Amino acid sequence: MEYTKFMADRVKTMKGSAIREMFKRMADPEIISLAGGNPASELFPGDELSKIAGKILMTNPTLALQYGTTDGYPKMKDCARKRAEKVNSVGENDEILIMTGANQGIDLTAKAVLNKGDKVIVESPSFIGSLNAFRTYEAELVGVTVEADGMNMDELEETLKNTDGVKMIYTIPTFQNPTGCTMSLEKRKRMLEIASKYDVLILEDNPYGDLRFAGEDVPTIKSLDTEDRVVYAGSFSKILSPGMRLGYIVASAPLAEKIEMLKQVNDVHTPMITQLMCVEFMKKYDIDKYIAKNRELYGKKCAAMVSAMEKYFPQGKVKWVVPEGGIFLWCECPTIEDITPIVDKCLEKKVAIVPGSNFATDIYAPSNMFRLNYSSATIENIEEGVRRLGEVLTEML
C-alpha cells in the first residue's frame, strides 16, 4: 500500500536525526563512538536507584503505578524548583511543569507558540532535536552565527530588524550543543535588550549548565529577565539519568497553562515511578556531590580528547575551541567544503563522528565541520578513537 498520499504536508519532507541513523550503523562492537550525546554510564547511580525503585513499588505501588497530574507530582516540582532556583531561574509569575524530558518541553513550547510560517531565530549551528521540533510546526528557521562567546548579537539585531514574523529566539547559551561554546554575560544581557526591543520570546535551553569543569559560572538569561520574556528548559538527564526522561519548563503562567493543556493531550503526565525515584534520590543523597563527580570525570575526558587531538590531528588543518564544560567539542576543517567523505572513511576505520550539516538550518548544505563527544567513551577509547580519526584527517586533508 502506498502511504505517501496519506501523509500530512508537515511530515513529508521531514528527515530523522542522522545521529540516530548512525547508531544503527554502529552495531559493530569494534566501532568507537565519538558521535553521541550520552552521559557517562559509569556514573549512573544504578544501585541507589534500584533500591529506591524497589522500596517505592513495595511500599506505595498505587501512587507509583497510577495516573498522575499533568503538571507534575508536587514533590517533583519542588525538586525542579530547587534546581532552577540554584541559577535564579524562577520568576514571581512563573510556573514549573514537569516534562518527559526537556525535549518535550521545547516541543510543546513550540507547539503553543508557533503557527505555520512563523520564524524562529536559532544559533547556527544548533541542536538537531529542537530544530526538528520547530520544523514539525512548519516554522522557518533563521540562523545566526555562533562565535566563541556565543551568538553574534550584531547579526541577531540586524536579522530581527530585517525579518518579519519572528516569534522566538532559541538558544543554548551554556556549553552549547554542538559547539561547546558559552555565551558571555554581556551578550546575554544584550540578547534580552534586543528581544525586548523587537518583542520576541526567548527559549533558553540549559541541559549542560551543571557540567562546568573550568572557568566561572555565568548567570542564566532567565535570571536576568524582568519581563517574563524567557522560557527556561531544564533537565535531569545529564545529572541523574537520561533514561528516566525527566525535565522541566519554567514559564510565565499564561504560557505554562497552554503548555500544560498540550502535554495532557500528548502523554497525560510524566511517569510517576521515575518522578518518585528522582524525589527519593534527591532527598536521600547530595545531588551536588554527585554532579561534582560528573564534572571531575568530564574534565578529565575533555582534557584527554584535546591532548589526543593535539597529538594525532594534522597540524594546522583542524580548528577547535576547548570548552569549559558540557560534553561536546566542535571542529572545523577550513581547507575543505564537505566533511561527509571523511565521516564515511571514519566508519571504515571503526570510529564515528557527526557531520556539521546535522546541526544546520539547511541540512542539505555541505559543512566542513564535525562534532565530537567525550562523555560516553572511556579515556582509553577516546585516545584510540582520536588516533583513528587523526589517521583519516591526515590522509584526506
Side-chain angles (χ1 to χ4, degrees), residues 67-74 77 260 263 268-270 272 275:
Y67 285 116
T69 56
T70 301
D71 61 325
Y73 178 54
K77 291 178 72 172
E260 182 179 349
K263 178 172 169 60
V268 183
H269 66 92
T270 300
M272 283 297 297
Q275 291 190 73

Side-chain angles (χ1 to χ4, degrees), residues 49-345:
L49 289 172
S50 65
K51 292 172 185 175
I52 287 170
K55 183 179 178 182
I56 290 169
L57 290 170
M58 285 174 59
T59 60
N60 205 345
T62 300
L63 181 61
L65 301 176
Q66 188 53 276
Y67 285 116
T69 56
T70 301
D71 61 325
Y73 178 54
K75 291 183 179 179
M76 182 67 225
K77 291 178 72 172
D78 288 341
C79 287
R81 180 176 290 274
K82 287 175 184 175
R83 293 309 308 168
E85 286 176 344
K86 272 190 166 292
V87 290
N88 300 311
S89 296
V90 185
E92 185 178 321
N93 301 316
D94 285 330
E95 298 287 342
I96 289 183
L97 303 174
I98 302 301
M99 295 285 134
T100 308
N103 277 14
Q104 184 188 53
I106 291 164
D107 177 74
L108 294 181
T109 300
K111 192 173 185 178
V113 168
L114 299 175
N115 293 315
K116 179 178 179 179
D118 284 341
K119 296 180 178 67
V120 181
I121 292 180
V122 299
E123 290 158 334
S124 181
S126 189
F127 171 50
I128 187 173
S130 297
L131 299 184
N132 278 345
F134 305 144
R135 290 179 180 120
T136 299
Y137 302 113
E138 300 176 276
E140 182 180 331
L141 305 179
V142 183
V144 172
T145 306
V146 174
E147 301 173 308
D149 61 346
M151 185 185 283
N152 183 317
M153 290 299 141
D154 290 337
E155 186 181 335
L156 171 63
E157 178 149 28
E158 192 67 20
T159 300
L160 279 165
K161 181 180 177 181
N162 295 298
T163 308
D164 293 329
V166 175
K167 277 274 188 79
M168 185 166 69
I169 302 166
Y170 171 71
T171 179
I172 313 169
T174 305
F175 315 132
Q176 199 250 10
N177 183 2
T179 66
C181 294
T182 294
M183 187 184 294
S184 67
L185 177 58
E186 180 185 357
K187 284 192 172 184
R188 294 175 192 228
K189 290 177 178 177
R190 186 157 176 219
M191 177 178 279
L192 273 170
E193 292 171 0
I194 292 169
S196 177
K197 179 177 178 179
Y198 293 93
D199 195 23
V200 296
L201 293 174
I202 297 172
L203 176 51
E204 180 180 14
D205 189 8
N206 190 28
Y208 312 106
D210 286 304
L211 303 180
R212 177 176 286 281
F213 48 74
E216 298 295 327
D217 286 331
V218 185
T220 62
I221 300 172
K222 179 68 175 169
S223 70
L224 306 170
D225 179 24
T226 59
E227 300 179 332
D228 300 330
R229 188 172 297 281
V230 180
V231 180
Y232 179 88
S235 175
F236 289 88
S237 290
K238 303 302 187 291
I239 62 171
L240 189 55
S241 156
M244 291 174 72
R245 305 310 304 132
L246 290 172
Y248 58 94
I249 284 286
V250 183
S252 188
L255 179 56
E257 180 183 10
K258 298 300 183 185
I259 294 171
E260 182 179 349
M261 291 177 186
L262 292 170
K263 178 172 169 60
Q264 192 168 46
V265 174
N266 190 284
D267 67 354
V268 183
H269 66 92
T270 300
M272 283 297 297
I273 180 66
T274 53
Q275 291 190 73
L276 291 169
M277 288 168 63
C278 183
V279 167
E280 192 60 28
F281 184 90
M282 299 278 277
K283 183 166 58 175
K284 195 169 183 178
Y285 301 99
D286 186 341
I287 188 68
D288 288 316
K289 284 185 178 179
Y290 178 65
I291 292 171
K293 291 181 181 178
N294 283 256
R295 290 174 170 175
E296 181 182 7
L297 180 61
Y298 293 158
K300 289 178 179 177
K301 288 189 173 187
C302 180
M305 178 169 277
V306 171
S307 176
M309 290 162 67
E310 291 171 343
K311 182 177 179 182
Y312 296 116
F313 281 10
Q315 191 170 5
K317 299 290 186 178
V318 185
K319 295 167 59 177
W320 66 84
V321 176
V322 179
E324 295 184 334
I327 61 177
F328 299 117
L329 242 160
W330 185 243
C331 300
E332 180 183 2
C333 303
T335 60
I336 62 171
E337 292 186 3
D338 188 5
I339 200 72
T340 304
I342 289 175
V343 174
D344 293 339
K345 187 70 173 179

